[in-house]
Amino acid sequence: FGVIGQEAGLETILKWMMEMIYKVIPNWGASIIILTIFLKLIMFPLTKKSSLGTLKMQELQPQMQVIQAKYKENPQKLQQETARLYKEAGYNPVSGCLPMLFMFVILFAMFNLFNNYFEFRGAMFIPGWIPDLSAGDSIHTFKFNIPFIGSELRLLPIIYVISQLLFGKITQNGGTMTGSSAAQMKIMMYGMPLFFFFIFYNAPSGLLLYWTVSNFVQLIQQLMINRIMNKKKLEMANNKMVSAD
């Protein structure tokens, strides 16, 4: 019941924020876009910290391998030494999950928002494309049904998939994973957007608008983070060269 209450509270806050924006710009679609950008800006420091934490984890790998080899027969000691290494390095493995967790909490809150509040029933964004933010958009109606899709050709889910693939590509370019980790990342990068494409194809267009704008904003933020990470990598490489000398 506590979780349900928190979700309801978050929905109320998001609704209030959108209403404040709507008073300035009387278009619910524009309110969603502005709110999304605002939320992403708030989350940027945490997202940046999470990405730099990934780089820190890479830096700690040699020490981790030594600890794993030394205490492979003693799981409890291995856990203690790993925790000690993380603490000394100022690395928190949980921090990497927080941006993703926040994203899904907001996503479900937005989903409930467009299903539960009558203010968004029939709320128009762009005439002829998105006449109702509580329903799916439509650019063409087929005379037949397509499995998992229906008879409506929707543009927002397609734009969402493109935005997600672009974001995944940018994220992968900024990463340093190899081997099985890289293979898993590729599966996630291509598989998850296609999975969500079918799951949310008929979802409220307001929800997809939020998710798509969120992806494009995060893509820009990731490009900035990649530049910071590349500088950090260069510093790490220079430090190793100095240490070797």
Side-chain angles (χ1 to χ4, degrees), residues 18 21-22 25-37 110 114 119-120 122-126 129-134 156 205-210 213:
M18 287 180 61
I21 298 170
Y22 184 82
I25 304 175
N27 183 293
W28 287 115
S31 298
I32 294 171
I33 293 173
I34 294 171
L35 176 63
T36 304
I37 294 172
M110 293 290 281
F114 288 105
E119 291 92 329
F120 301 111
M124 183 178 292
F125 176 36
I126 299 176
W129 176 29
I130 307 177
D132 184 354
L133 286 165
S134 66
L156 265 179
S205 54
L207 177 69
L208 279 170
L209 181 62
Y210 156 75
V213 173

Side-chain angles (χ1 to χ4, degrees), residues 215-231:
N215 280 343
F216 279 117
V217 175
Q218 195 163 344
L219 189 150
I220 296 171
Q221 291 180 339
Q222 190 63 46
L223 287 172
M224 297 169 61
I225 291 172
N226 285 356
R227 291 183 61 183
I228 296 171
M229 290 179 69
N230 288 334
K231 289 181 180 179

Side-chain angles (χ1 to χ4, degrees), residues 48-177:
K48 176 184 171 183
K49 185 177 180 180
S50 173
S51 297
L52 293 177
T54 303
L55 191 61
K56 173 67 73 174
M57 185 62 184
Q58 180 199 0
E59 187 180 359
L60 295 176
Q61 278 303 306
Q63 295 168 267
M64 280 291 300
Q65 290 172 1
V66 172
I67 293 174
Q68 289 168 356
K70 187 176 181 180
Y71 300 106
K72 62 181 179 181
E73 304 296 335
N74 191 340
Q76 185 176 357
K77 186 65 174 178
L78 173 61
Q79 187 177 3
Q80 290 174 353
E81 289 299 311
T82 301
R84 182 186 61 80
L85 177 63
Y86 286 164
K87 185 177 180 180
E88 290 178 353
Y91 172 70
N92 184 0
V94 179
S95 64
C97 303
L98 291 178
M100 185 69 69
L101 179 63
F102 180 82
M103 183 192 76
F104 278 108
V105 169
I106 294 292
L107 185 67
F108 284 114
M110 293 290 281
F111 182 81
N112 291 331
L113 189 65
F114 288 105
N115 280 308
N116 296 338
Y117 289 95
F118 290 99
E119 291 92 329
F120 301 111
R121 305 280 173 88
M124 183 178 292
F125 176 36
I126 299 176
W129 176 29
I130 307 177
D132 184 354
L133 286 165
S134 66
D137 70 304
S138 178
I139 57 174
H140 181 72
T141 302
F142 299 109
K143 295 181 180 179
F144 51 89
N145 284 331
I146 301 174
F148 305 108
I149 289 179
S151 61
E152 298 292 336
L153 176 60
R154 308 193 190 283
L155 183 58
L156 265 179
I158 297 172
I159 298 175
Y160 153 73
V161 169
I162 294 172
S163 70
Q164 191 66 45
L165 290 174
L166 284 173
F167 174 67
K169 191 68 176 176
I170 293 296
T171 305
Q172 189 181 49
N173 287 343
T176 54
M177 293 185 177

